[in-house]
Amino acid sequence: MRRRLIVVSLFTAVVLLAAGQKKLPKPSWPNFFSKEQDVQMGREYAQQVEQQMTIVQNKELTDYINKIGDRLVKQGGLDDYPYFFKVVQEPSINAFALPGGPMFVHTGLIKAADNEAQIAGVLAHELSHVVLRHGTNQASKAQLIQLPAMLAGVVAGGTLAGQLAQLGIGLGANSVLLKFSRGAESDADLLGAHTMAKAGYNPLELARFFEKLEAEMGKSGSSKFSQFMSDHPNPGNRVKAIEDQLPYMARGPYSSQAGDLKKMQAFVDGLPAAPKKVAKGQGSSAGASAPAQLPNAQKPTSVPVSSTMKTAQANGLSLSYPSNWQETTEQNSLTLAPAEGRVQSFIGYGVMVNVAQAPSGQKVDLQGDTQKLLQGMAQQNAGMKVVEQPQQVTIGGAKALVTKLGSDSPYAGTKEVDIVVTIDRGSSLHYLVFVSPEPDYAKLEPVFQQMTRSIRFQ
């Protein structure tokens, strides 16, 4: 009887342990990017980072960070990506990993750490964002409220980063690729803590470092901490969350050591002042996304517009368009344009149609969300400005606004007219951008009006 009681007690303990164990997170749906595209995107954006930030050319310091990163990847059993780790001379306390593996560690982070495990904790957390593909997951599900500059009409050719810029996705301020939800932070904490434990680092140091920064920021309000905490919102009590999972992690001793942290911090203190760098195409506003460079193509002498119409459907909306124009779709977007109207990743003639969902349980704010869309478009399109203020109309039985904008055309020496139509469908906002070079707008305006009148909702 006693032996059976022991067996039952052991069984009960195992059940209780299992009940408290959290499953390790996996990449989330939706994600419209392949892993290969993650890698390509990360490589292209890394080139931008290296143009904009000063890479520290100290071999011992770089080797130290790479030893920590390599240990986490190999002993932590992380997915195989072409990871690399570079130190950037930046006093703010931060580190960030791009999709596909490139990671940049600020010198301010190295100086702020109390021990190597805290650096390893931040690196493990960032590596977890890469493995869980949080950046491209965020980009895939981004809608108008998070990303008002999602313009449609990506066509083949050019770099992936250049094409994504046309959808408002880039490395600018509050980039959707680097700014994560509390849920994503919680997942990165969990996977990062398990990775640390397997690599021989105390996983609690991850949470302790985050909480130390929160406390320091509360005392001083210093900008050295603000960007880090903005990019890494606290999902809750980090220390307790990790403590609760310790029984299910690799056991210590947690004694990994890649080098002498104090020596590395002395290297950082001895670095000469970094030269100021301004990204090509950017002004004084740090972090702002620059408009993509226009191709300055030769404008067609004429663009044929058929008098017969076809019907296109996308996202519950249908509309008519000239039968000699081409229809292409990309994610939630639909582009209708003549072959002559496509210039690399730009649309010089045609219509782009898209839809954005309001956050769960909320309704569209037609005026406010239209303004966000227009502001986002202005950031991503050279010389764009409002020519005529929004006019309220009814389209397909729904309230809508029509706004006339002016911008620079992808055709050399030519201005462009952009008519933005935003339609309130309650929990979603449909929006269309009608595009024409200014000299041809009078000819195309009746066609655009006919297309607008044809809009129906299913």
Side-chain angles (χ1 to χ4, degrees):
M1 178 67 72
R2 184 175 179 181
R3 184 166 180 265
R4 182 177 175 180
L5 282 174
I6 292 173
V7 171
V8 170
S9 297
L10 286 172
F11 176 77
T12 303
V14 169
V15 169
L16 289 173
L17 278 171
Q21 183 176 7
K22 288 186 177 179
K23 289 184 178 179
L24 288 181
K26 295 187 180 299
S28 301
W29 187 91
N31 198 319
F32 303 117
F33 298 82
S34 67
K35 285 188 176 183
E36 292 74 19
Q37 287 173 322
D38 280 21
V39 172
Q40 179 186 349
M41 186 191 312
R43 188 183 302 120
E44 291 173 6
Y45 284 135
Q47 291 175 355
Q48 293 182 22
V49 171
E50 294 187 30
Q51 290 171 359
Q52 297 171 30
M53 305 184 81
T54 299
I55 305 298
V56 174
Q57 302 298 331
N58 182 297
K59 185 176 185 303
E60 195 167 353
L61 180 58
T62 301
D63 287 348
Y64 173 71
I65 293 298
N66 273 271
K67 284 178 185 177
I68 298 173
D70 290 345
R71 181 188 293 272
L72 291 166
V73 170
K74 292 171 183 174
Q75 297 189 18
L78 297 179
D79 287 359
D80 187 23
Y81 282 96
Y83 302 100
F84 67 74
F85 306 86
K86 294 190 178 184
V87 179
V88 293
Q89 192 168 350
E90 170 56 53
S92 60
I93 300 169
N94 208 351
F96 59 94
L98 300 172
M103 187 184 298
F104 297 89
V105 180
H106 291 203
T107 50
L109 171 66
I110 297 170
K111 285 190 64 173
D114 294 329
N115 52 60
E116 184 176 304
Q118 291 187 350
I119 295 177
V122 176
L123 266 60
H125 178 95
E126 292 300 318
L127 286 168
S128 297
H129 283 310
V130 174
V131 171
L132 297 173
R133 307 184 66 209
H134 283 153
T136 47
N137 168 246
Q138 291 277 100
S140 294
K141 67 184 181 181
Q143 297 294 346
L144 179 65
I145 307 304
Q146 296 90 2
L147 193 62
M150 277 184 69
L151 296 180
V154 175
V155 295
T159 65
L160 181 57
Q163 291 181 338
L164 290 173
Q166 303 312 303
L167 301 176
I169 298 171
L171 289 183
N174 298 321
S175 170
V176 70
L177 295 169
L178 298 175
K179 200 171 187 68
F180 304 116
S181 67
R182 285 181 168 80
E185 286 296 295
S186 180
D187 286 349
D189 280 356
L190 180 58
L191 181 57
H194 276 272
T195 300
M196 289 180 71
K198 290 177 185 176
Y201 291 107
N202 184 350
L204 284 175
E205 292 296 340
L206 184 157
R208 287 173 182 155
F209 185 68
F210 277 72
E211 296 200 342
K212 168 191 170 182
L213 294 189
E214 284 187 335
E216 292 291 336
M217 184 177 170
K219 287 183 207 172
S220 66
S222 171
S223 61
K224 285 200 307 180
F225 310 107
S226 59
Q227 185 60 51
F228 188 88
M229 299 318 300
S230 173
D231 292 344
H232 302 79
N234 190 348
N237 189 326
R238 281 182 145 123
V239 171
K240 185 175 187 308
I242 293 176
E243 282 179 341
D244 288 347
Q245 297 305 304
L246 280 176
Y248 318 110
M249 295 183 191
R251 301 298 175 91
Y254 301 131
S255 56
S256 288
Q257 199 76 20
D260 184 347
L261 176 59
K262 295 298 182 187
K263 185 178 180 181
M264 301 306 137
Q265 291 172 331
F267 281 146
V268 171
D269 285 335
L271 290 172
K276 290 186 178 181
K277 291 192 177 185
V278 179
K280 182 179 179 182
Q282 289 184 342
S284 61
S285 179
S289 295
Q293 182 148 351
L294 293 168
N296 288 323
Q298 183 67 39
K299 180 181 169 296
T301 53
S302 65
V303 172
V305 179
S306 173
S307 59
T308 61
M309 307 292 276
K310 291 167 53 175
T311 300
Q313 294 184 343
N315 302 306
L317 174 151
S318 68
L319 79 163
S320 301
Y321 69 98
S323 60
N324 62 338
W325 287 13
Q326 298 171 352
E327 175 183 342
T328 57
T329 58
E330 177 79 20
Q331 298 180 28
N332 284 337
S333 66
L334 167 69
T335 302
L336 306 169
E340 299 85 350
R342 300 174 185 272
V343 186
Q344 297 177 19
S345 59
F346 295 83
I347 296 296
Y349 294 83
V351 185
M352 297 174 284
V353 186
N354 213 328
V355 64
Q357 302 297 326
S360 179
Q362 296 186 29
K363 295 292 186 182
V364 164
D365 173 1
L366 183 58
Q367 291 281 353
D369 291 338
T370 296
Q371 287 304 313
K372 291 177 184 177
L373 173 64
L374 299 179
Q375 290 166 7
M377 289 175 63
Q379 290 175 3
Q380 295 295 330
N381 292 270
M384 180 167 278
K385 61 182 180 180
V386 175
V387 175
E388 294 179 6
Q389 292 299 317
Q391 301 295 313
Q392 188 160 328
V393 296
T394 300
I395 296 175
K399 291 181 180 178
L401 293 174
V402 178
T403 310
K404 186 176 183 179
L405 308 175
S407 65
D408 295 336
S409 172
Y411 302 116
T414 305
K415 290 296 183 180
E416 179 176 282
V417 176
D418 302 293
I419 304 298
V420 180
V421 178
T422 48
I423 308 171
D424 183 351
R425 293 290 291 165
S427 60
S428 63
L429 185 85
H430 288 258
Y431 56 103
L432 302 87
V433 184
F434 295 86
V435 181
S436 170
E438 197 171 70
D440 299 319
Y441 179 66
K443 176 184 176 182
L444 285 169
E445 184 180 21
V447 179
F448 291 162
Q449 291 176 345
Q450 182 181 357
M451 294 174 71
T452 303
R453 288 194 299 269
S454 74
I455 292 173
R456 298 290 183 271
F457 293 97
Q458 298 164 3

